[in-house]
């Protein structure tokens, strides 16, 4: 029998307990994002602006950047990734524990941005999976907030391994 | 100090070698000096590639150019018969003067003798010119790429390097790495 989105929403598609647990876990995880800022270029300025008190990412529970991949669950890739940097990014991603999400912050990480040349990776999704793309060169902090809210929605609505 | 440096307050960065030096070199190397020019008071000589080591040693030991300031490649694709050119800048500390030496190179496999034995500074400059222009320096002690990585295909500052060319990915899990692990 086909389920309607409403039935999914109400948890009728699967046993009541698992879906409710998913919701609780999603609720907990979306408000306790520990991000790893992989900052390589000018977008870092906008990341700092978004993280500091004026825009204050802490309002969304993402206020504490961790500089160890082992302690973080969202990899924020901020800035130009060159071919020579790509193995480092891949290694950082591999070192992060599940569950983990990746945010491509700025045009460079999405498609190489203004750098269509021999040195720059044309989008980080060539080497690691990306959950949210935040466009802009650099993205305004408000777009970063929007991306963060979209990431939270994604975390809330996905299935969680326990 | 030149008049202009007094006016602007910039530090005196030295003068360029005068025509008398070029005259002395011409007497010494004759036909090896192909051309001489001067623009904005900067002396520039164009030489045959064969005399480069002798000329460099002569400049260093007899004319007091102790420093190799710069070495770079140029690609004149479609503009000159001799496609490549290597440009050297020499600087004499005591006399505070400079000289530019151009060495045109023809062919698809351009090559020059290394100057690493005379100036340590030549080491990375020559590796850079090899990396980006594919100009070889025979006798270089460590002729690897400088800025790019070993898996890179081609020399990106050559004018016929395809702008949209894509390079192989490197690092863990990439095809290049797997290929290497089989070797
Ligand atoms: S997207 Fe623009 S601002 Fe961001 S790193 Fe690239 S060039 Fe810099």
């Amino acid at each position: 029998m086909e389920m309607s989105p409403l039935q999914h929403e109400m948890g009728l598609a699967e046993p009541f307990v698992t879906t409710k647990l998913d919701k609780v876990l999603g609720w907990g995880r979306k408000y306790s994002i520990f991000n790893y800022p992989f900052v390589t270029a000018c977008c870092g300025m906008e990341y700092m602006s978004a993280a500091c008190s004026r825009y204050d990412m802490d309002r969304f529970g993402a206020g504490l950047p961790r500089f160890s991949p082992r302690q973080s669950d969202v990899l924020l890739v901020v800035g130009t990734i060159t071919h020579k940097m790509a193995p480092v990014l891949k290694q950082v991603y591999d070192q992060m524990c599940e569950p983990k999400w990746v945010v491509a912050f700025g045009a460079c990480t999405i498609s190489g941005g203004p750098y269509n040349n021999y040195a720059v990776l044309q989008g980080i999704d060539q080497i690691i999976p990306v959950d949210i793309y935040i466009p802009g060169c650099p993205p305004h902090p408000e777009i970063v907030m929007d991306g963060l809210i979209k990431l939270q929605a994604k975390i809330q609505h996905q299935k969680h391994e326990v | 100090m030149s008049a202009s440096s007094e006016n602007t307050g910039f530090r005196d960065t030295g003068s360029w070698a005068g025509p008398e030096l070029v005259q002395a070199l011409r007497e010494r190397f004759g036909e090896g000096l192909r051309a001489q020019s001067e623009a904005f008071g900067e002396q520039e000589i164009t030489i045959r590639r064969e005399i480069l080591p002798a000329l460099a040693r002569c400049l260093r030991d007899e004319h007091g150019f102790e420093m190799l300031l710069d070495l770079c490649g140029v690609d004149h694709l479609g503009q000159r018969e001799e496609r490549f050119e290597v440009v050297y800048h020499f600087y004499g500390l005591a006399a505070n003067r400079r000289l530019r030496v151009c060495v045109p190179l023809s062919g698809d496999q351009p090559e020059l003798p290394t100057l690493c034995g005379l100036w340590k500074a030549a080491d990375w400059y020559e590796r850079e010119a090899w990396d980006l222009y594919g100009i070889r320096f025979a006798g270089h002690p460590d002729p690897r790429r400088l800025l790019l990585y070993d898996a890179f295909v081609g020399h990106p500052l050559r004018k016929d390097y395809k702008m949209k060319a894509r390079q192989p990915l490197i690092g863990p899990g990439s095809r290049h790495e797997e290929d290497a692990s089989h070797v």
Side-chain angles (χ1 to χ4, degrees):
Chain A
M1 191 180 74
E2 273 293 298
M3 292 277 173
S4 73
L6 181 65
Q7 283 169 314
H8 272 285
E9 188 66 17
M10 292 172 67
L12 294 177
E14 285 174 71
F16 182 78
V17 174
T18 20
T19 49
K20 285 299 164 210
L21 187 61
D22 254 1
K23 280 219 166 109
V24 173
L25 283 176
W27 176 83
R29 282 176 178 164
K30 79 173 177 181
Y31 286 129
S32 59
I33 291 174
F34 289 79
N35 58 51
Y36 178 101
F38 193 91
V39 177
T40 55
C42 19
C43 268
M45 295 297 140
E46 292 302 319
Y47 165 73
M48 291 167 211
S49 170
C52 286
S53 48
R54 185 182 174 99
Y55 290 96
D56 196 10
M57 292 211 311
D58 208 4
R59 290 179 292 157
F60 304 91
L64 197 57
R66 308 307 302 166
F67 293 100
S68 160
R70 308 255 186 238
Q71 299 171 350
S72 49
D73 43 23
V74 170
L75 178 58
L76 273 178
V77 188
V78 183
T80 323
I81 302 296
T82 58
H83 274 280
K84 284 175 85 173
M85 197 60 169
V88 182
L89 176 63
K90 178 92 167 74
Q91 188 161 8
V92 168
Y93 175 78
D94 289 343
Q95 285 175 346
M96 287 171 64
C97 301
E98 298 278 357
K100 56 188 172 186
W101 297 272
V102 177
V103 174
F105 187 118
C108 280
T109 54
I110 297 173
S111 66
Y115 308 112
N116 185 359
N117 62 22
Y118 62 90
V120 174
L121 192 66
Q122 302 298 301
I124 59 164
D125 45 12
Q126 292 186 10
I127 53 169
I128 55 177
V130 176
D131 293 281
I132 298 288
Y133 296 85
I134 302 178
C137 178
H140 195 271
E142 277 136 22
I143 311 178
V144 180
M145 294 303 146
D146 186 48
L148 197 60
I149 293 167
K150 289 210 162 69
L151 177 67
Q152 287 184 326
K154 179 167 183 168
I155 295 174
Q156 173 71 78
H157 291 297
Q158 79 181 52
K159 266 190 78 63
H160 289 275
E161 307 287 332
V162 187
Chain B
M1 238 193 187
S2 65
S4 64
S5 64
E6 276 161 21
N7 292 341
T8 56
F10 282 127
R11 258 182 61 230
D12 184 6
T13 52
S15 54
W16 287 71
E20 56 303 328
L21 172 74
V22 179
Q23 193 52 42
L25 291 175
R26 189 178 292 286
E27 277 159 25
R28 170 92 182 257
F29 292 100
E31 282 296 291
L33 251 70
R34 287 173 37 172
Q36 166 200 4
S37 63
E38 184 184 334
F40 308 107
E42 302 178 1
Q43 288 290 338
E44 175 181 314
I45 57 174
T46 305
I47 63 166
R48 285 187 202 290
R49 53 190 289 186
E50 294 79 32
I51 70 159
L52 176 71
L55 178 101
R57 183 172 287 279
C58 166
L59 284 175
R60 190 188 72 165
D61 296 343
E62 291 165 36
H63 297 284
F65 286 92
E66 297 100 336
M67 228 173 130
L68 174 64
L69 269 189
D70 193 15
L71 182 166
C72 55
V74 188
D75 184 357
H76 295 289
L77 180 67
Q79 293 174 354
R80 296 191 188 173
E81 203 173 318
E82 288 157 307
R83 179 175 163 188
F84 292 101
E85 191 172 25
V86 177
V87 181
Y88 296 85
H89 284 97
F90 298 108
Y91 179 54
L93 290 164
N96 194 11
R97 61 177 183 170
R98 293 147 203 271
L99 179 70
R100 184 184 304 132
V101 177
C102 304
V103 191
L105 298 169
S106 57
D108 269 348
Q109 294 294 322
E111 188 172 309
L112 268 180
T114 178
L115 292 189
C116 283
L118 294 172
W119 288 278
K120 273 272 182 231
D123 186 345
W124 281 19
Y125 286 141
E126 291 179 353
R127 279 175 63 186
E128 185 191 23
W130 157 247
D131 194 358
L132 302 178
Y133 285 99
I135 296 170
R136 262 192 196 289
F137 290 88
H140 192 286
D142 182 22
R144 286 175 300 148
R145 286 180 180 275
L146 178 67
L147 301 168
L148 300 169
Y149 40 93
D150 288 337
F152 197 93
V153 183
H155 302 282
L157 292 197
R158 286 190 174 194
K159 297 296 173 228
D160 55 1
Y161 182 87
K162 294 271 175 302
M163 201 184 83
K164 296 255 167 81
R166 291 288 166 256
Q167 291 294 329
L169 294 174
I170 54 169
S174 68
R175 182 152 2 115
H176 169 249
E177 197 86 342
E178 283 162 16
D179 286 352
S181 66
H182 289 299
V183 179

